[in-house]
Structures are given as C-alpha cells and as structure tokens.
Amino acid sequence: MFYIMKIENYWTKRQTVRNFSDKEILEELLCSLLEKASFAPTTGNMQLYSVVVTKDLENRKKLAAFHFNQPASVSAPVLLTFCADFNRFIKWCEQRNAEPGFDNFQSFISAMLDVAIFAQQFNTIAEINGLGCCYLGTTTYNAHLIAKQLELPKFVIPVVTLAVGYPDGEAEYVGRLPIDSIIHTEKYKDYSQEDINDCYSEKESRTDSKRFIAENNKENLAQVFTDVRYPKSQNEEFSKYFTDFIKSQGFKF
Amino acid sequence: MFYIMKIENYWTKRQTVRNFSDKEILEELLCSLLEKASFAPTTGNMQLYSVVVTKDLENRKKLAAFHFNQPASVSAPVLLTFCADFNRFIKWCEQRNAEPGFDNFQSFISAMLDVAIFAQQFNTIAEINGLGCCYLGTTTYNAHLIAKQLELPKFVIPVVTLAVGYPDGEAEYVGRLPIDSIIHTEKYKDYSQEDINDCYSEKESRTDSKRFIAENNKENLAQVFTDVRYPKSQNEEFSKYFTDFIKSQGFKF
C-alpha cells in the first residue's frame, strides 16, 4: 500500500537533481535500467537510438566543458549521451540488400522522437529506483564537439544528455503552469492577453522566479528568459552549428 | 507487494494497444493524467507544448484520415495531438516587454524534445492506470493538414498523436534489440558486419517479422522497412511537406 502511495505521489513530486553524492552506480543496475527503458514505444520498432555511457573522469571533464560546466555535468558520476542513430539501421539494410532512404528530415525527426522517448523512459525508471537525473539541454548546442569526443559516425546525432547519480541533499521544488493552460478541447483556442496572465501569474510569483529576476537585474521573469538564458543571438549561433552538423552527418534538409 | 511486482514487470511487459473498447475515458481522469505528466522534465521549465484533445466523432474521423485511417486512429475514443508550442511563451514575452528570439532551429528542437518527453510521460502514467495507447508517427507527415483542422497558430507544430482508450483484447508482444546493441562505453564503437548480425538476428527470427516478409512478398525484414513501410520517395515527399510547414509556422532554418 505504501508503494502505491509512493508511485502515485512520484509523478508530481519528482525533481531534477543537480547535486550528486560520490556513490557509484553499479554497472548491472545501469544496464538493467537502460534495458527496461528500451521497451518504451519506438517508431516502427526500429529503435533509432544509441546511448554512450561516460564514467571515466577525464572523459567526463571533456564532456562537461561542452555543457559549459553546468553543476550537474560536473557532479554526476555518469553522463549518458542519448543519440539519434540511423547508422545501425542503415548498416543492417545495406547488409540485407535493402536500399535505405533515411537521409532526410522525416527520418531525422523519427530518430529525434525515438531517442527523446527512450531517454525519458530511462529518466522515469531511474528516478523511481532512487537515482537522480538532470537533462543537459546543451547537448544540441555543442553536438559537433560532443560527436567528435564520442567518435560518433555518420547518421548519429547527440540529442540529450542525462547526468545521473545518487542525489545529494534535497532538490528544489519547482511548479508547473496550471494544466488548463496546456489543454485545448477539439480545436486550439489561442490565448488572449488575460489568458496569458492567468497562465503565468503563479509562475511569476514563485520565490525562485523572484530570485532569478533580482540576480539578473531584470524587470520581470520573461526578460530573464529572453535576455539572459536564451537570447536571440545565442539561439541563432547554436542553430547554425547544429544544422551544419546534422547535414555533415548525412541528413539532407 | 503485488503492486511492486506489477510496476517492476510493467516496464518490459508494456504493449502498444491498437484496439480499444467503447468505454469512455472520464474527463477528470484524462485531465489528472495530463496534469501528472506535466511534471516531466522540460527545457528551462518553459513547458513548450500544448495538447489538443479530440473526442468528437466527426473531428476524430477528420484527424484519422490524416493518419491514413490506421486502426488505432479509428478505434480510439480519444486522440491527443501533442504540439510543440512556442506561441504561448512568445505571447507572454511580448506582453512583458521582453524581446523573444525563438524563431530558430534550436528553439524548434527544444520544443520538439519538450513535447516528446511530455507525451511519453503521459503514455507511461496512462498505461500504469490501465489505459492503452498508440503513438501515431504519421503526425509529422500531415502536420500541415492536422494544423489546419486543429486551427493551430504560428509557432505551434503537431509532433505526435496518442490514440488513447481502454484496451480491447490482448496486444501482441514484440521484443527489442539486445541492450548491448544500444549501449556504447566511453566512445561509440561502430558496428562490424558480425555486430549487425548479432543485433538483428533475434528480431529477424520473430514470428511477426516472418509474417511481415511473407505478407509483403519480400526477401527479408530490412526490405519490408525500405520498400514498403518507409520508402525513400515517401520519406522525401513528407520531408518537404514538413519543412515547408515548419517554416510557414515561423521557424527559420
């Protein structure tokens, strides 16, 4: 009965973990969690993904630098780089006298979705088993550098990285938008000015939001996102790196 | 104790459901499952997604046609179209005197990952609560038509659809590649000819694979994928539709 409570509470209580203890993750545990995650849904059961496990300290330091040394990337004993992977599938087709036609945008998107779904399934199973995880969204920013470090061949694209380990201390609780902000019934109902205020008012009033505004000396939370965290010029620079890299890996678009 | 067994077994026993009973999903249940899923990890806690719930029979028929009337799309009482959504976030920024710079490829990718992670979290929670789900990967094929039907504004892209309902009958068990095929240690180890055989031999020997080969009159399973399910010309045609559509929705790349 306790466990029912625990699972039911887990979904809304889960937290991203950015500080990890020194405790190692057993090889068998990691492999077992990844195996369970591989039963997540996948496009046509093609499993268009691979994961590169990095435990070696020197290799982790190199990867962490490509993630701007954000705390989770430095602190975690394991970095899992989840890659969209058409290399394995194409090689299989070529060995079976089947002509692959996967060097296009739809195929790239299929592999992107496959690997995100696989990574998220791992995230959930790992958290339920007592591990902590943090997504490093910076993976697509420096995909070209990460790919070189991990020796990724053509048709393999690093998409997300999970920093994984045993949590050290309590993670900070952060809320979400009211679910009504997300759900549309039958048709998309576009947001009026008042709707937008309703969506974001609770978020804007949170303690962590106020801290962000003060720390960054901005007028409001939206400006923290546009001016500091995800500025236009940076988004455009990293967009160019990523599209150039995807094309160099063999996908046309 | 029973529940621990059930959760532990769930991960590898879960199945995609394509046949649904007539039993309706209660509004409160659906909303509660979506709310739980919204606590999945999301880029910078931006929640760059929306979901359009389609229950109305006429509306479902229209959407099913865009999914080539595949059985799950016709049979399910609810279709959930999960959309990458920068519209809400951009409107918020504009209302707060913050200049959004999200009309680029990295921002598009962030929203794609956010919505895939959200959809997969919903899939897991729904299945654990006794519902059955089927991803409709055809969402990106006809994104432009689905968007028109759902009246999606600029910066909103339909990415995946989940057909959801109560299962009718038992779903077919399909296996996965050996986990060693997926995991790379420290660096990516490219696949030799023998490795490829090791990855795919069990899959090729499965009953459902043999049935696919026979039904489609092909030499082997790889040819079913390249010649029938995902042929090059079709992938390229739908790639053009999708990239044109993404650009028309406001993302530059």
Side-chain angles (χ1 to χ4, degrees):
Chain A
M1 201 61 184
F2 170 71
Y3 206 76
I4 295 178
M5 293 293 292
K6 203 172 145 197
I7 286 289
E8 278 307 295
N9 284 337
Y10 161 74
W11 306 111
T12 54
K13 300 295 180 205
R14 62 153 300 283
Q15 297 301 328
T16 294
V17 169
R18 292 183 175 83
N19 297 306
F20 301 94
S21 77
D22 289 338
K23 187 176 171 185
E24 273 186 46
I25 304 174
L26 289 177
E27 190 67 32
E28 304 75 45
L29 175 64
L30 188 64
C31 190
S32 155
L33 298 176
L34 285 166
E35 186 171 24
K36 283 176 183 160
S38 76
F39 284 83
T42 149
T43 308
N45 201 10
M46 292 189 282
Q47 296 183 257
L48 303 169
Y49 51 73
S50 278
V51 59
V52 184
V53 180
T54 306
K55 289 183 168 180
D56 176 80
L57 182 62
E58 288 308 309
N59 286 335
R60 278 195 280 131
K61 280 184 181 168
K62 285 177 192 164
L63 285 181
F66 302 141
H67 294 292
F68 310 102
N69 289 311
Q70 53 186 297
S73 71
V74 174
S75 159
V78 177
L79 295 175
L80 299 180
T81 307
F82 289 85
C83 305
D85 188 340
F86 249 113
N87 169 55
R88 182 177 58 241
F89 200 81
I90 288 173
K91 281 201 159 69
W92 175 56
C93 292
E94 287 172 342
Q95 274 186 218
R96 296 295 186 271
N97 193 32
E99 198 189 339
F102 305 122
D103 57 348
N104 54 74
F105 191 67
Q106 283 284 353
S107 299
F108 165 73
I109 290 292
S110 296
M112 286 288 287
L113 296 175
D114 260 28
V115 71
I117 287 168
F118 175 54
Q120 177 52 20
Q121 196 79 339
F122 174 85
N123 184 89
T124 297
I125 302 172
E127 287 181 346
I128 286 177
N129 280 272
L131 293 171
C133 303
C134 178
Y135 274 95
L136 308 180
T138 39
T139 309
T140 56
Y141 288 14
N142 284 322
H144 54 301
L145 303 173
I146 294 166
K148 202 171 172 190
Q149 165 63 17
L150 302 181
E151 299 176 5
L152 305 183
K154 269 186 80 170
F155 296 114
V156 183
I157 311 277
V159 176
V160 288
T161 303
L162 279 176
V164 187
Y166 289 92
D168 185 22
E170 287 291 307
E172 186 178 40
Y173 179 79
V174 286
R176 291 291 188 269
L177 301 179
I179 193 61
D180 293 347
S181 312
I182 306 295
I183 299 176
H184 302 257
T185 305
E186 299 298 331
K187 310 263 177 176
Y188 190 101
K189 184 177 171 295
D190 207 351
Y191 302 87
S192 68
Q193 197 164 339
E194 200 183 333
D195 292 336
I196 292 291
N197 290 337
D198 289 344
C199 291
Y200 290 95
S201 61
E202 192 277 332
K203 183 185 178 80
E204 290 173 314
S205 70
R206 283 180 215 151
T207 314
D208 58 326
S209 299
K210 289 181 176 165
R211 198 179 63 233
F212 284 140
I213 298 167
E215 280 173 0
N216 292 293
N217 199 24
K218 291 288 160 190
E219 289 169 24
N220 58 51
L221 185 64
Q223 290 180 357
V224 175
F225 282 98
T226 57
D227 300 356
V228 182
R229 298 190 64 182
Y230 304 98
K232 185 179 175 73
S233 61
Q234 180 186 290
N235 293 339
E236 289 179 353
E237 183 186 349
F238 288 120
S239 290
K240 182 166 169 25
Y241 294 161
F242 194 41
T243 50
D244 286 351
F245 170 70
I246 294 165
K247 288 175 192 169
S248 75
Q249 289 298 81
F251 292 101
K252 292 176 213 143
F253 65 93
Chain B
M1 199 62 183
F2 170 72
Y3 204 76
I4 296 179
M5 294 292 293
K6 204 173 145 199
I7 285 290
E8 276 310 293
N9 284 337
Y10 160 74
W11 306 111
T12 55
K13 299 298 181 202
R14 61 153 301 282
Q15 298 299 327
T16 293
V17 168
R18 292 184 176 79
N19 297 306
F20 300 94
S21 78
D22 290 337
K23 186 176 171 185
E24 273 187 46
I25 303 174
L26 291 177
E27 191 66 32
E28 303 75 46
L29 175 64
L30 189 63
C31 190
S32 152
L33 298 175
L34 285 166
E35 185 171 24
K36 284 175 182 162
S38 77
F39 285 82
T42 150
T43 308
N45 202 11
M46 291 189 282
Q47 297 183 257
L48 303 168
Y49 51 73
S50 279
V51 59
V52 184
V53 180
T54 306
K55 289 183 167 180
D56 175 79
L57 182 61
E58 289 310 308
N59 286 334
R60 279 195 281 132
K61 279 183 181 168
K62 285 177 193 164
L63 284 182
F66 302 142
H67 294 291
F68 310 103
N69 289 310
Q70 53 186 299
S73 71
V74 175
S75 160
V78 176
L79 296 176
L80 299 179
T81 307
F82 289 86
C83 304
D85 188 340
F86 249 113
N87 169 54
R88 183 177 56 240
F89 200 81
I90 288 173
K91 282 200 159 69
W92 175 56
C93 292
E94 287 171 343
Q95 276 186 218
R96 296 294 184 271
N97 193 32
E99 199 190 340
F102 305 121
D103 58 346
N104 55 73
F105 192 66
Q106 283 284 354
S107 299
F108 165 74
I109 290 292
S110 296
M112 286 287 287
L113 297 175
D114 260 27
V115 71
I117 287 167
F118 174 54
Q120 177 53 21
Q121 196 79 338
F122 174 85
N123 184 89
T124 296
I125 302 172
E127 288 181 346
I128 286 177
N129 280 273
L131 293 171
C133 303
C134 180
Y135 273 96
L136 309 180
T138 40
T139 309
T140 55
Y141 288 15
N142 284 322
H144 54 303
L145 303 174
I146 293 166
K148 203 172 171 188
Q149 166 63 19
L150 301 181
E151 300 176 4
L152 305 183
K154 269 186 81 171
F155 297 113
V156 182
I157 312 278
V159 176
V160 289
T161 302
L162 280 176
V164 186
Y166 289 92
D168 184 23
E170 285 291 306
E172 186 178 42
Y173 178 79
V174 288
R176 291 292 187 269
L177 301 179
I179 193 62
D180 293 346
S181 312
I182 305 297
I183 299 176
H184 301 258
T185 306
E186 301 296 334
K187 310 264 177 176
Y188 190 100
K189 184 177 169 296
D190 208 351
Y191 301 86
S192 69
Q193 196 163 341
E194 201 183 332
D195 292 336
I196 291 291
N197 290 337
D198 290 345
C199 291
Y200 290 94
S201 61
E202 191 277 332
K203 183 183 178 80
E204 290 173 314
S205 71
R206 282 179 216 154
T207 314
D208 58 325
S209 299
K210 288 180 175 164
R211 195 180 67 234
F212 284 140
I213 298 166
E215 279 174 0
N216 293 293
N217 199 25
K218 291 290 160 189
E219 289 170 24
N220 57 52
L221 185 63
Q223 289 179 358
V224 175
F225 282 97
T226 57
D227 300 356
V228 183
R229 298 190 65 182
Y230 304 97
K232 184 179 176 74
S233 61
Q234 181 186 288
N235 293 340
E236 288 178 354
E237 184 186 349
F238 288 120
S239 291
K240 182 166 169 24
Y241 295 160
F242 195 39
T243 50
D244 286 351
F245 170 69
I246 295 167
K247 287 174 194 169
S248 76
Q249 289 297 82
F251 292 102
K252 293 178 213 140
F253 64 93

